[in-house]
Amino acid sequence: MLGYILRRLLATIPVLGIVAVLVFLMLRLTPGDPAAVIAGDNATTAQIEAIRAKLGLDQPIITQFGIWAGNLLHGNLGESFFFKKSIGELILGRIEPTLSLAIATMLIAVCVAIPLGVLAAYKHGSWIDRIVMGFSVLGFSVPVFVIGYLLIYVFAITLGWLPVQGYQPISGGFGGFIQRLILPAVTLSVIYIALIARMTRASVLEVLSEDYIRTARAKGQVERKILFRHALKNAAVPIVTVVGIGIALLIGGVVVTESVFAIPGLGRLTVDAVLARDYPTIQAVILLFSVVYVAINLGIDLAYCLFDPRIKY
């Protein structure tokens, strides 16, 4: 297994390199000038050119990439054009809200979706199954921002149970932290509940027709034990896989959700950086998301052998 892990880790190096090159080229070949954004509407051409020279944007693209890649290899993410701060400081200051939202979202999704999927498979063809599948279709069909505004209107404006927007760090009090995290986490978890519940239903339904399930029932074992110990455990590999795929969707969902709920996380930072054409910040955030995505998928691959001992690396 150690050799497999090393090969996978080495394989991430060219992947991250390709991502870095593509992001670098896409940002610089698209219309827009960060120097003009920084200078403002009333700036003269000379002022804009002076800012371009100061930021190094007047140099060839290959030279710019070489300077950025060299700094990156030395652990220097650079300085933000727009925020005038070290990008490392920016990311550290914004990572807590995003991490809290992501963890809360996946906890809600997994704790709700897996029992729903198992129940739908057990009650295959019943009204419970139809409701779960209908919810899955609805969860995929409705955009995240629509769900967010709907929940804000119902639970924040109409009922007044929860705050409309904002974020409170956990150091400011756990009650306020949870209170402001519930709405965005539930909003973002809807699509993952739909995705995971649908996959859980399909996997468990396939396993329920196996011979060892009939044998367990013939031995008189409790149905709940059959469903969760025998069926769910043997159906876990595709479920874990789809949870890993959900991490990719989570990156895009965080950007939209943080914008809707005014959460000062990495998603909001990405939006602000894109609007300001802040090249170094956008590149650093995308690379961070890429590293996290690769690491989580590696962890999921290694977890397969825990659910199915027949899998060897």
Side-chain angles (χ1 to χ4, degrees), residues 74-95:
H74 287 87
N76 180 14
L77 296 176
E79 183 176 336
S80 168
F81 291 168
F82 182 73
F83 297 99
K84 304 299 182 184
K85 291 177 63 177
S86 167
I87 296 175
E89 294 179 9
L90 281 174
I91 291 176
L92 287 176
R94 301 289 190 101
I95 199 168

Side-chain angles (χ1 to χ4, degrees), residues 59-312:
Q59 300 183 23
I61 291 180
I62 296 178
T63 304
Q64 294 181 42
F65 180 77
I67 294 172
W68 175 73
N71 291 333
L72 189 63
L73 291 175
H74 287 87
N76 180 14
L77 296 176
E79 183 176 336
S80 168
F81 291 168
F82 182 73
F83 297 99
K84 304 299 182 184
K85 291 177 63 177
S86 167
I87 296 175
E89 294 179 9
L90 281 174
I91 291 176
L92 287 176
R94 301 289 190 101
I95 199 168
E96 182 191 334
T98 300
L99 192 61
S100 302
L101 179 58
I103 292 174
T105 298
M106 295 311 296
L107 283 175
I108 293 173
V110 171
C111 292
V112 173
I114 291 179
L116 277 180
V118 173
L119 182 62
Y122 179 61
K123 299 289 186 179
H124 175 61
S126 67
W127 61 271
I128 296 177
D129 185 22
R130 294 189 183 94
I131 289 176
V132 173
M133 290 301 96
F135 174 77
S136 296
V137 174
L138 188 65
F140 279 119
S141 304
V142 182
V144 173
F145 67 89
V146 174
I147 298 173
Y149 286 129
L150 181 62
L151 292 178
I152 288 173
Y153 178 76
V154 174
F155 293 101
I157 298 175
T158 304
L159 299 176
W161 291 354
L162 297 167
V164 176
Q165 291 179 324
Y167 174 79
Q168 178 179 312
I170 193 170
S171 58
F174 187 75
F177 168 75
I178 289 295
Q179 195 177 32
R180 292 185 177 275
L181 196 64
I182 290 175
L183 275 183
V186 171
T187 298
L188 192 54
S189 67
V190 169
I191 185 173
Y192 303 107
I193 293 174
L195 178 67
I196 297 170
R198 195 176 186 90
M199 178 57 69
T200 302
R201 174 189 176 273
S203 300
V204 173
L205 194 60
E206 182 180 354
V207 170
L208 286 176
S209 62
E210 296 292 337
D211 292 337
Y212 56 83
I213 298 295
R214 288 194 290 269
T215 302
R217 284 174 175 161
K219 289 181 177 181
Q221 292 192 8
V222 181
E223 197 67 26
R224 183 183 301 174
K225 182 179 179 180
I226 294 173
L227 287 174
F228 287 95
R229 177 173 294 185
H230 299 288
L232 183 59
K233 184 178 180 180
N234 286 279
V237 170
I239 297 171
V240 171
T241 302
V242 83
V243 170
I245 295 173
I247 302 299
L249 300 176
L250 185 63
I251 294 172
V254 162
V255 173
V256 177
T257 306
E258 288 184 355
S259 299
V260 170
F261 289 93
I263 297 175
L266 292 177
R268 187 73 180 274
L269 175 64
T270 304
V271 173
D272 294 340
V274 169
L275 294 176
R277 306 292 297 177
D278 191 348
Y279 296 153
T281 303
I282 300 171
Q283 291 163 178
V285 172
I286 292 178
L287 279 178
L288 175 63
F289 283 147
S290 302
V291 171
V292 171
Y293 180 62
V294 170
I296 290 176
N297 276 277
L298 175 60
I300 289 172
D301 284 349
L302 297 177
Y304 287 162
C305 60
L306 298 177
F307 299 104
D308 190 346
R310 295 171 298 178
I311 296 176
K312 302 294 182 183

